[in-house]
Amino acid sequence: MQINGTRSICAVILYVLALGRQALALELVATSQDSIKNAASTATYGMMTYYTGNETGGIPGAFPSKWWEGSALLLALLNYWHFTGDDYYNEELSIALQWQSGTNGDYMPSNYSSFLGNDDQMFWGLSAMTAVEYKLPDRPTGFSWLSLAQGVFNTQKARWDTTMCGGGLRWQIYVYEGSGYYMKNAVSNGGFFQLAARLYRYTGNEEYYTWAKKTWEWSCSVPLVDNSTWTVDDSTNGEQQCANGDQVRWTYNYGVYFGGCAYLYAATNDEYWLNCTTGLLNSLWSTFFTEKNNYIISDWECETREICNNNEVLFKGLVASWLAQTALLIPSLYDEILSKLQASGQGAANSCTGNSNSTCGVRWTTGTWDGLQGMEQQISASNAFSVQMLPWINGTEYGPPVTSKTGGNSSSNVNAGENEDAGSGQTTKPVTTGDKAGAGILTIIFVGGLVGMATFMFLGA
Ligand SMILES: *[C@@H]1O[C@H](CO)[C@@H](O)[C@H](O)[C@H]1NC(C)=O
Ligand SMILES: *[C@@H]1O[C@H](CO)[C@@H](O)[C@H](O)[C@H]1NC(C)=O
Ligand SMILES: *[C@@H]1O[C@H](CO)[C@@H](O)[C@H](O)[C@H]1NC(C)=O
Ligand SMILES: *[C@@H]1O[C@H](CO)[C@@H](O)[C@H](O)[C@H]1NC(C)=O
Ligand SMILES: *[C@@H]1O[C@H](CO)[C@@H](O)[C@H](O)[C@H]1NC(C)=O
Ligand SMILES: *[C@@H]1O[C@H](CO)[C@@H](O)[C@H](O)[C@H]1NC(C)=O
Ligand SMILES: *[C@@H]1O[C@H](CO)[C@@H](O)[C@H](O)[C@H]1NC(C)=O
């Protein structure tokens, strides 16, 4: 057979290039533990290249301009350990989770506390609660993980505000933080709900149930959660008595609430809490895991126009973590959750083909790297890959988050954090603390939103 020499050489070169490209792709085979562990390890290693808290001169857990993101990174390390069994980063993780706890043991460290929102503090509380439920040993000195979660709960409970909309937490804590002080938002309230729900399941203390139920019912009484259509709005304006929601959709707002419902159902077996879990999950699927995207999760509010900020890139990873916990807590939801996590994990793996070193992108729906790299991309991918180990940990002693009756031994302190300033009376910015404006979550989006709205109104006029 005659073949054209030049063409065959080209074909060979193309074939070799194609092999080369394949080698760069991050392989994720749902049925192979080795492939999952390798993908999780690779994404987590990439994530830790952004972390300097363990280096000489570094401050453990500190990301001064984006303080809450430290808790997201530590949550990814907790998931990495729990799901894959690799404890390589545990000491580093444990040191950092303790370091940022602040002198009162409630995640209001003075370097950042003057500029935080309730959501920023809450995310650290949820990471401490995850440490409790995954049995990360308490440190020999300092605060126990459980007392830190309790400290966050007690501080936030004291900030419950009945002057606007009959209850709920404000987004920002202090008057001087500006318009966010007059907003009530889903992630602050849903996060507090989930923290209370998890504390209730773990300790059995009724006070946590009372607060979880009260926060849920209040959230349904304002436009944040619609308990008939199961949509969740991002925020609502307290100065207008929460008359309108903003109809902005983010995966993590659904996530904080379905996670809380799932923990409450696991704790009570009350069908009411199963109904809100399934209601919110079905809404999550139809809103963010669409057929058009091959059922891969997408925070399309920012992804379609490629305008996601650091906070927004983290949402999908947080949701993967809460989905996996829900699958472990409620066996009847396991199959449907696993299939969604597998499709999204595959999407994430396809995005981790950047820079010839498995750098991950923001969008998981495009089948390839989108050219964007950062710590947040690595954190979300790390979560997405770790949870692929669900089939191997379900039904084992490393499966569902533990409680104080099923092996958890972190020390309790029901009064933790009660010395903390509740915030509402404080109107002036303290001058003694370093100015860490920007430490808080979503401030920029919010301001951007207002400017956008003002521009829109101006153009419309
Ligand atoms: C991958 O390569 C990029 C570009 O050179 C670099 O910024 C990044 O740190 C590398 N990541 C890892 C995990 O080596
Ligand atoms: C740094 O991280 C390694 C690996 O996680 C850990 O073994 C070590 O104790 C850490 N060192 C410090 C000083 O935190
Ligand atoms: C607060 O800042 C000081 C000075 O940079 C640093 O030594 C300390 O570790 C920081 N604390 C936290 C919790 O980040
Ligand atoms: C609590 O459990 C952890 C993990 O199983 C273990 O390492 C630790 O020693 C236990 N602590 C106490 C006080 O029993
Ligand atoms: C839905 O929320 C409304 C407003 O809080 C409440 O009156 C109603 O009982 C709730 N329905 C369910 C099923 O929870
Ligand atoms: C849960 O939903 C089912 C189906 O819609 C309904 O029949 C049942 O009454 C609900 N249970 C509770 C406790 O609300
Ligand atoms: C997951 O584990 C639970 C027990 O914790 C079991 O009831 C359930 O059948 C398991 N699911 C699968 C798909 O193996």
Side-chain angles (χ1 to χ4, degrees):
M1 193 171 63
Q2 282 276 332
I3 44 171
N4 180 316
T6 316
R7 276 176 75 175
S8 73
I9 289 167
C10 283
V12 168
I13 289 171
L14 283 175
Y15 178 69
V16 169
L17 282 177
L19 277 183
R21 281 184 65 88
Q22 266 174 356
L24 302 183
L26 194 60
E27 193 191 46
L28 182 71
V29 179
T31 52
S32 158
Q33 281 198 65
D34 286 347
S35 121
I36 294 168
K37 287 181 176 173
N38 183 51
S41 160
T42 302
T44 306
Y45 176 80
M47 168 180 102
M48 292 306 279
T49 62
Y50 294 90
Y51 181 71
T52 58
N54 193 25
E55 291 166 13
T56 310
I59 302 173
F63 292 96
S65 64
K66 44 185 187 182
W67 180 73
W68 87 276
E69 293 195 25
S71 75
L73 179 135
L74 299 181
L75 179 70
L77 289 181
L78 283 162
N79 284 324
Y80 176 69
W81 165 53
H82 184 72
F83 288 95
T84 71
D86 180 358
D87 66 2
Y88 179 72
Y89 298 104
N90 280 23
E91 181 60 10
E92 204 167 347
L93 143 69
S94 169
I95 291 170
L97 196 57
Q98 184 69 229
W99 196 271
Q100 292 301 320
S101 61
T103 49
N104 248 343
D106 53 10
Y107 291 114
M108 292 290 286
S110 60
N111 289 0
Y112 316 106
S113 59
S114 312
F115 302 94
L116 300 183
N118 281 307
D119 43 5
D120 302 299
Q121 183 198 18
M122 176 278 295
F123 274 116
W124 281 90
L126 287 184
S127 292
M129 193 67 219
T130 307
V132 173
E133 294 169 342
Y134 290 176
K135 298 205 283 181
L136 183 73
D138 283 345
R139 295 199 70 73
T141 56
F143 301 102
S144 70
W145 309 131
L146 179 56
S147 77
L148 287 167
Q150 290 168 314
V152 172
F153 169 84
N154 286 331
T155 353
Q156 300 212 334
K157 175 184 80 174
R159 296 188 193 124
W160 187 260
D161 167 66
T162 53
T163 64
M164 305 188 307
C165 325
L169 290 173
R170 295 167 185 265
W171 171 28
Q172 299 298 327
I173 302 171
Y174 303 109
V175 178
Y176 59 75
E177 290 179 296
S179 42
Y181 183 70
Y182 301 97
M183 306 294 293
K184 298 212 164 165
N185 65 340
V187 78
S188 296
N189 286 285
F192 179 63
F193 165 63
Q194 190 185 115
L195 181 63
R198 291 168 72 166
L199 282 167
Y200 173 63
R201 174 175 174 274
Y202 184 86
T203 64
N205 179 335
E206 290 291 332
E207 189 197 5
Y208 300 124
Y209 184 74
T210 305
W211 277 95
K213 187 160 183 285
K214 174 174 167 158
T215 308
W216 170 254
E217 286 172 354
W218 176 81
S219 298
C220 294
S221 76
V222 293
L224 292 178
V225 177
D226 184 323
N227 65 358
S228 54
T229 60
W230 300 107
T231 51
V232 182
D233 283 12
D234 184 71
S235 51
T236 177
N237 186 337
E239 288 186 298
Q240 294 166 7
Q241 287 305 320
C242 299
N244 302 303
D246 60 4
Q247 314 227 345
V248 171
R249 310 274 174 245
W250 295 112
T251 54
Y252 82 150
N253 288 328
Y254 290 65
V256 279
Y257 283 109
F258 81 66
C261 292
Y263 273 88
L264 288 180
Y265 179 62
T268 61
N269 235 7
D270 179 342
E271 189 189 46
Y272 179 85
W273 299 115
L274 180 62
N275 283 1
C276 73
T277 311
T278 56
L280 286 167
L281 278 184
N282 289 333
S283 178
L284 182 83
W285 306 148
S286 63
T287 310
F288 303 104
F289 293 68
T290 58
E291 187 180 354
K292 175 170 74 83
N293 287 331
N294 296 317
Y295 307 101
I296 297 168
I297 187 172
S298 170
D299 263 308
W300 43 261
E301 289 273 12
C302 66
E303 287 184 28
T304 22
R305 286 182 293 147
E306 298 194 320
I307 52 167
C308 300
N309 67 24
N310 287 342
N311 298 319
E312 293 156 0
V313 174
L314 290 168
F315 298 165
K316 298 193 292 282
L318 296 168
V319 171
S321 168
W322 298 322
L323 282 172
Q325 287 165 349
T326 299
L328 292 167
L329 291 168
I330 310 181
S332 62
L333 298 177
Y334 177 96
D335 288 341
E336 86 180 55
I337 290 176
L338 182 67
S339 75
K340 294 292 194 295
L341 287 175
Q342 287 179 334
S344 292
Q346 208 59 61
N350 292 339
S351 95
C352 295
T353 53
N355 292 326
S356 310
N357 67 6
S358 303
T359 293
C360 302
V362 172
R363 301 175 72 180
W364 297 348
T365 53
T366 62
T368 183
W369 184 50
D370 60 9
L372 300 165
Q373 75 183 72
M375 177 176 85
E376 295 76 11
Q377 285 85 321
Q378 297 302 135
I379 293 177
S380 279
S382 168
N383 281 314
F385 300 149
S386 296
V387 300
Q388 304 299 319
M389 287 298 294
L390 263 176
W392 289 273
I393 77 156
N394 182 58
T396 72
E397 62 170 309
Y398 307 105
V402 299
T403 70
S404 64
K405 295 201 178 67
T406 62
N409 67 5
S410 186
S411 312
S412 171
N413 175 5
V414 289
N415 301 318
E418 286 191 342
N419 298 325
E420 196 63 71
D421 164 29
S424 42
Q426 193 169 341
T427 54
T428 53
K429 199 184 287 198
V431 288
T432 49
T433 43
D435 199 294
K436 290 294 190 315
I441 188 174
L442 294 189
T443 315
I444 293 161
I445 304 184
F446 177 67
V447 171
L450 277 190
V451 172
M453 203 185 293
T455 311
F456 177 77
M457 282 158 59
F458 176 74
L459 291 175

